[in-house]
Amino acid sequence: MTDRVYPSAKPAAAAANPAFPATKAQLYGATRPTYRPQPHHRRRSKRGCCCTFCFWLILTVLVLLLLIGIAGTVFYLLYRPHRPTFTVTSLKLSYLNLTASSTLNSRFDVTVSATNPNKKILFAYDPTSISILSGDVDVGDGTVPAFLHGKKNTTLIKTSIVSTGSALQSDDASRLKSSMKNKNGLPLKVNLETKVKAKMGKLKTPKVRIRVSCDGIRVNLPSGKKPATASTSNAKCNVDVRFKIWKWTV
């Protein structure tokens, strides 16, 4: 029997990585630098700037309102301001004639009492315009000179209002004729308009426009040369402060 001879050494193992040419992908991967993420810088949006501006604007307005409120409180505690009051104490009608051609002639003598209740504030009035109305019909206009209204003082404003040859519209003339026939007397209203500023020592306020409306006055037409005295016991006067903002009066 023939003996088999086994090889004494194992055959050389095949190369694990045969030498093949490198592909393009391998070459690109070898030369490409390692990726390193960069920090992300966020751009400040316009919306964020707008919100910041609105925040500071609102904060500034609130601070200003707070300062104005504090100043107003201090002013009130120091001076205790009150509006002046007005009362129609006397009104006399000498004549009131309305012609067929709607021409009006009239004469009124009016006394208005103005009271300043303040202890530390006086008022300086510009010339005051006075108008007398019956319903919506203007039956007389006049002007009172400027005057100074002292502290805790009552001033009597006296004036004569004469209207000569005033032409009325046909509708106004018809309404006035109807009112003149009223058995309870002719209803009248006295309006005063002027500008006034307050003085507190060396401190002066800007001028503001005020309107005084006195309603509830009635007078009978005079029958002779003696003037007719109006009833003013039910007269009430309201004082309205009017501010002018741009072209509008409030």
Side-chain angles (χ1 to χ4, degrees):
M1 184 173 179
T2 305
D3 295 330
R4 293 182 179 180
V5 180
Y6 292 94
S8 59
K10 295 180 179 181
N17 295 319
F20 292 106
T23 64
K24 290 183 179 181
Q26 291 174 340
L27 291 174
Y28 176 74
T31 59
R32 186 174 61 178
T34 305
Y35 171 74
R36 295 180 180 177
Q38 299 295 325
H40 181 66
H41 298 283
R42 294 184 179 179
R43 293 183 179 180
R44 198 171 185 179
S45 64
K46 293 182 179 180
R47 184 177 181 182
C49 295
C50 182
C51 291
T52 303
F53 173 77
C54 291
F55 169 76
W56 285 109
L57 177 63
I58 293 173
L59 182 61
T60 303
V61 172
L62 291 176
V63 171
L64 289 176
L65 291 176
L66 178 62
L67 293 176
I68 292 173
I70 293 173
T73 303
V74 172
F75 175 81
Y76 178 78
L77 293 176
L78 287 176
Y79 295 101
R80 301 282 181 176
H82 296 280
R83 291 184 181 185
T85 59
F86 295 83
T87 306
V88 178
T89 56
S90 174
L91 188 148
K92 293 183 179 182
L93 173 60
S94 298
Y95 55 86
L96 179 67
N97 301 323
L98 184 62
T99 65
S101 58
S102 300
T103 300
L104 178 67
N105 298 292
S106 63
R107 177 187 172 92
F108 296 89
D109 293 295
V110 185
T111 302
V112 178
S113 175
T115 302
N116 179 6
N118 297 283
K119 296 180 180 179
K120 299 180 180 180
I121 303 174
L122 59 85
F123 297 104
Y125 292 88
D126 281 0
T128 304
S129 63
I130 300 180
S131 58
I132 300 178
L133 295 90
S134 177
D136 296 328
V137 182
D138 191 338
V139 294
D141 297 284
T143 304
V144 176
F147 66 96
L148 191 65
H149 203 182
K151 307 169 187 176
K152 300 293 288 185
N153 177 265
T154 298
T155 301
L156 294 179
I157 304 171
K158 296 182 178 181
T159 185
S160 295
I161 298 175
V162 179
S163 178
T164 304
S166 299
L168 299 181
Q169 298 290 335
S170 58
D171 293 343
D172 292 341
S174 298
R175 288 197 297 268
L176 182 58
K177 286 180 180 179
S178 177
S179 298
M180 292 170 66
K181 296 177 182 179
N182 194 329
K183 295 181 179 180
N184 294 325
L186 181 70
L188 296 176
K189 180 168 63 175
V190 178
N191 288 344
L192 297 89
E193 285 198 21
T194 186
K195 289 183 178 180
V196 61
K197 64 180 177 181
K199 295 183 178 181
M200 296 144 287
K202 296 182 179 180
L203 180 63
K204 298 179 182 179
T205 65
K207 290 182 181 180
V208 296
R209 185 180 297 276
I210 65 169
R211 172 184 286 178
V212 182
S213 299
C214 302
D215 204 352
I217 305 169
R218 286 188 174 273
V219 62
N220 293 314
L221 298 181
S223 57
K225 295 183 178 181
K226 185 178 180 181
T229 301
S231 172
T232 59
S233 57
N234 295 324
K236 294 182 180 180
C237 298
N238 296 320
V239 181
D240 297 320
V241 180
R242 311 184 73 195
F243 297 97
K244 190 170 184 180
I245 302 175
W246 194 245
K247 295 181 180 180
W248 298 275
T249 302
V250 180

